[in-house]
Amino acid sequence: MQTLRMKPDLMAEFLEALAAWGRVWAPVEREDGLFSLAVIDGDVTRARPDALRTAVPFKKLLLKPRFTMLQSAAGGTPVESADNDAGAQVLFGAHACDIHALKILDLLFLADYPDPYYRRNRERLVVVGYGCWPDDRCFCDSLNTSTADDGFDLFLTPIEDGIQVVVGSSVGDDIVRANRHLFEPATRRDARHYLERLSTRKEAFKLKLDVTALPFVLELKKDDPVWDELGRKCLCCGSCSMVCPTCSCFNVADEVTADSGAARVRTWDSCLFRDYATVAGGHSFRGDRGDRVRNRYYHKQEAFVREFGMPSCVGCGRCIDNCPTGIHVVEVFQHVRGTG
Amino acid sequence: MTAHLPRGNGKPRVGIFGLTGCAGDQLQILNCEDQLLRLADAVAIVDWEMTTSDNDRNCRLDIAFVEGVVATVHDLERLKKIRARTSFLVAIGTCAVWGGLPAMRNLIPRDLLDRERDAATARFLDTAEALPATHFVPFDLELPGCPIEREEFLTTVNSLLFGTVPELPAIPVCLECKTAENGCRVIHHQEVCCGAMTRGGCGARCPSHGVACAGCRGPVEEPNYDANITMFAGRGISWVEISARMKHFSAPAWMRVGLEGVKGHES
Ligand code: SF4
Ligand code: SF4
Ligand code: SF4
Ligand code: SF4
């Protein structure tokens, strides 16, 4: 690991230089105060690294919300489709929680049965992190995901009169070497500013989730009336899953196309939908809304912990931002524990 | 599920019918321009009043598409006859599937309608409460939409020709809306958006154009009306506005579905 500094006014030039490593995605303002990851090639001034959250996270760069896996023309033999192959991409502006979420997706999609669609895009993804400042919906600090020591190629953090640049991989090193004129050695003063930022940032977290023994608490509260209550309130719209950086469920279906060809299509899915747990014959294993809501929270904080030793929620606050009916993940767990 | 089309020597015989409705779904079929020629080649459209007066009104049909609500005694007679002569019957459009806009009128008492009718000019109509075609006879497939999606129609016909029944999307509009990365009409604009109650497949067309979902594709399997109403009211939207917006397609025919305590469809 190597630490450098960059002058803030060189940001645009830096973003332009990134294009040599792939299509550059960065947060851009889509509507007033609403951000979305978009390709900024051609106009790097659109990049808004200061954006706290994009509604849909980086996972769309790896697996599109809907893509064709196989396709055939009318009467033809099915062939592999390159629909999801994005080629080389640079993700600019990943926050620490995103980087932890990326590691979780890697566990899911690369560990036991590597997913070729994910892998092809993952291998060509360059990750450039950016230091953020929490609002009242961030609780990553409670989940140990508020900083990242690895999992990125470069990580930029705004400090007093400069940007600290941490090199986290050989690709990051290549980027630095190819653009030497943009970087300077970091100074002691920079290190001091960075550490100060770190401790004031830690103080800035207002939302906290107590995860002490949470899987056990959940185990004990499987039949708690809170799940029925939530089932009555939840619209089962699936928005929380769509925006969650670690929700990764998908559906695969064979379709006949409008021009009489055929396609095998893979789409994002959510355990909140009744259809999700419906099997042949029409039986649904989670026919009850309360069961489905519970499943989402148990998958994040119980099942995943049992399987991988850590929760699959990184505390990004996206589901809080995007639930139309105001279901709040931290309040849910406080409520279950009996402390809120 | 497979569709068993009796395939004799000829092409499958197809009929397309409109009961009481705006004919918008039939127009959608006509709008399939490029694909329509190919379709006309693959099937024999033997009974389609909208396009020709030279129809075979009695032959057996392998596939029939029915649009509209039953709002007259005559509609019901026609529907029963269509069912009787058809192997695979498809409801097209939200009117046929759920009652759609015509069913909105069911909230007005019939004696009031009779009184309001201008007796001097209106001739006697054999009208009844407007109810979806699916209420009266069994259908083999239901394509929602006001109007139907052209893609979905073509996919359906092609699937049936292959001997399979297409799996139509059961996800709510919100899924497509979120992946299109629209600002939510409820959260950011405090509007009555029916997206969470409504079946997707339209690509969240309305919210993607900055308009709240009107619910035109009919309800998802288990719409949570209560929670939606509570949510809108909690955001300070008036009851009048909530009811006006939800009534468009939350017509009585399907308002019974999804109210807490009432499980499953009314058929
Ligand atoms: S559950 Fe909510 S807070 Fe946790 S990672 Fe997913 S979207 Fe973020
Ligand atoms: S919470 Fe539900 S949608 Fe998300 S990954 Fe888990 S099972 Fe899938
Ligand atoms: S976003 Fe809210 S209402 Fe929608 S499924 Fe998630 S918890 Fe339920
Ligand atoms: S705008 Fe409507 S369809 Fe889109 S997420 Fe919000 S409620 Fe759902």
Side-chain angles (χ1 to χ4, degrees):
Chain A
M1 207 140 84
Q2 186 194 4
T3 308
L4 299 160
R5 77 179 334 270
M6 182 169 85
K7 293 206 178 77
D9 53 356
L10 293 177
M11 184 60 108
E13 205 179 322
F14 170 73
L15 286 170
E16 267 159 20
L18 286 179
W21 273 264
R23 279 191 307 155
V24 182
W25 293 79
V28 302
E29 192 162 16
R30 199 187 145 88
E31 278 176 37
D32 264 358
L34 274 180
F35 297 90
S36 172
L37 280 171
V39 176
I40 53 156
D41 296 358
D43 183 10
V44 296
T45 59
R46 289 167 67 216
R48 290 284 302 275
D50 56 303
L52 190 52
R53 290 179 200 97
T54 57
V56 172
F58 66 87
K59 65 181 179 184
K60 70 174 183 180
L61 274 63
L62 296 161
L63 296 164
K64 295 205 289 185
R66 177 188 164 92
F67 66 86
T68 303
M69 305 165 75
L70 293 173
Q71 62 188 10
S72 67
T77 314
V79 289
E80 280 263 8
S81 163
D83 191 13
N84 191 58
D85 295 352
Q89 302 181 97
V90 181
L91 167 62
F92 172 77
H95 296 163
C97 62
D98 292 328
I99 291 168
H100 285 276
L102 183 57
K103 290 189 193 179
I104 287 171
L105 292 188
D106 285 351
L107 273 176
L108 288 165
F109 286 119
L110 300 177
D112 296 333
Y113 302 98
D115 177 337
Y117 299 93
Y118 180 88
R119 187 168 61 191
R120 285 202 284 273
N121 286 340
R122 180 67 180 98
E123 278 169 352
R124 305 194 63 187
L125 183 72
V126 176
V127 179
V128 181
Y130 194 86
C132 51
W133 200 264
D135 69 0
D136 58 355
R137 290 171 177 187
C138 295
F139 58 104
C140 53
D141 203 44
S142 306
L143 294 158
N144 280 326
T145 53
S146 63
T147 55
D149 300 329
D150 59 2
F152 53 83
D153 297 294
L154 291 176
F155 201 104
L156 277 50
T157 309
I159 48 172
E160 219 172 285
D161 55 69
I163 294 168
Q164 186 202 60
V165 181
V166 176
V167 182
S169 75
S170 58
V171 173
D173 196 49
D174 291 347
I175 299 174
V176 168
R177 277 171 202 278
N179 297 282
R180 283 220 179 273
H181 62 288
L182 295 177
F183 307 100
E184 301 159 353
T187 64
R188 283 222 188 108
R189 202 166 153 265
D190 291 343
R192 201 177 66 238
H193 284 153
Y194 177 75
L195 291 172
E196 276 167 18
R197 183 185 198 271
L198 212 59
S199 61
T200 21
R201 180 168 173 264
K202 198 159 175 72
E203 299 301 310
F205 284 98
K206 295 285 168 273
L207 186 62
K208 292 186 168 66
L209 172 66
D210 180 7
V211 291
T212 321
L214 193 49
F216 299 108
V217 173
L218 291 174
E219 179 58 39
L220 294 170
K221 298 272 188 155
K222 268 211 161 93
D223 301 318
D224 204 272
V226 65
W227 303 115
D228 286 335
E229 250 170 69
L230 280 170
R232 278 195 294 277
K233 190 173 179 191
C234 174
L235 315 173
C236 285
C237 70
S239 293
C240 48
S241 300
M242 298 306 115
V243 301
C244 178
T246 66
C247 269
S248 44
C249 284
F250 59 86
N251 188 23
V252 175
D254 288 349
E255 293 177 356
V256 176
T257 57
D259 57 4
S260 240
R264 176 160 298 169
V265 182
R266 177 163 156 177
T267 44
W268 290 4
D269 203 352
S270 164
C271 59
L272 273 320
F273 302 149
R274 193 169 207 280
D275 215 35
Y276 176 95
T278 303
V279 291
H283 176 70
S284 176
F285 286 103
R286 284 189 285 274
D288 200 72
R289 258 198 312 268
D291 286 347
R292 301 206 285 279
V293 179
R294 180 175 57 190
N295 184 72
R296 178 159 202 277
Y297 292 105
Y298 274 63
H299 189 205
K300 295 291 169 208
Q301 291 288 355
E302 201 250 354
F304 206 85
V305 183
R306 259 194 283 115
E307 185 82 16
F308 295 105
M310 58 178 178
S312 64
C313 169
V314 295
C316 71
R318 282 187 179 86
C319 58
I320 306 172
D321 259 2
N322 288 287
C323 175
T325 184
I327 292 177
H328 189 300
V329 56
V330 173
E331 288 168 8
V332 168
F333 287 121
Q334 284 169 347
H335 200 46
V336 172
R337 205 188 268 281
T339 53
Chain B
M1 190 152 72
T2 51
H4 295 289
L5 299 183
R7 306 289 286 272
N9 303 327
K11 304 169 183 174
R13 277 167 306 190
V14 172
I16 301 172
F17 306 92
L19 305 174
T20 298
C22 71
D25 302 295
Q26 297 183 70
L27 269 176
Q28 277 293 71
I29 299 177
L30 276 177
N31 283 339
C32 295
E33 294 157 8
D34 306 347
Q35 299 291 337
L36 204 57
L37 290 175
R38 205 181 44 77
L39 262 189
D41 219 37
V43 300
I45 300 177
V46 291
D47 196 355
W48 191 5
E49 210 165 68
M50 192 182 198
T51 54
T52 172
S53 50
D54 177 24
N55 288 305
D56 186 338
R57 292 178 197 283
N58 296 304
C59 69
R60 284 211 60 84
L61 297 168
D62 297 309
I63 312 171
F65 297 92
V66 173
E67 172 202 88
V69 292
V70 169
T72 65
V73 177
H74 179 61
D75 281 338
L76 185 57
E77 281 161 11
R78 280 183 69 213
L79 177 62
K80 284 182 174 163
K81 190 178 166 204
I82 296 164
R83 172 71 275 188
R85 60 192 277 233
T86 302
S87 303
F88 198 91
L89 189 59
V90 185
I92 50 170
T94 295
C95 289
V97 180
W98 295 108
L101 294 177
M104 260 177 85
R105 285 295 176 232
N106 293 345
L107 293 175
I108 307 172
R110 295 207 63 78
D111 55 338
L112 180 73
L113 289 177
D114 272 342
R115 264 184 278 127
E116 297 267 304
R117 180 161 49 103
D118 180 354
T121 53
R123 64 188 170 84
F124 180 75
L125 292 170
D126 61 343
T127 60
E129 192 186 22
L131 288 170
T134 51
H135 190 84
F136 298 94
V137 302
F139 277 77
D140 301 291
L141 186 67
E142 299 171 0
L143 292 188
C146 185
I148 51 166
E149 297 291 322
R150 265 175 276 175
E151 280 276 312
E152 214 162 72
F153 172 78
L154 290 167
T155 298
T156 299
V157 180
N158 291 337
S159 302
L160 294 178
L161 290 175
F162 281 132
T164 70
V165 177
E167 208 182 305
L168 302 173
I171 42 94
V173 173
C174 291
L175 181 151
E176 296 178 304
C177 186
K178 272 281 140 307
T179 57
E181 303 191 48
N182 300 318
C184 177
R185 303 311 303 174
V186 180
I187 299 173
H188 302 284
H189 304 272
Q190 314 294 327
E191 289 172 10
V192 177
C193 182
C194 296
M197 298 172 258
T198 305
R199 242 170 108 167
C202 57
R205 187 176 285 117
C206 294
S208 300
H209 285 89
V211 178
C213 168
C216 82
R217 284 175 63 82
V220 287
E221 220 175 335
E222 196 190 357
N224 193 346
Y225 291 126
D226 291 1
N228 276 277
I229 294 169
T230 313
M231 167 178 79
F232 298 135
R235 287 180 179 270
I237 304 170
S238 74
W239 294 105
V240 179
E241 169 79 4
I242 298 170
S243 122
R245 296 281 311 173
M246 285 181 62
K247 229 163 37 189
H248 278 133
F249 292 96
S250 305
W254 58 273
M255 207 46 193
R256 289 176 211 132
V257 183
L259 285 174
E260 289 304 308
V262 184
K263 296 274 182 213
H265 286 199
E266 254 251 354
S267 59

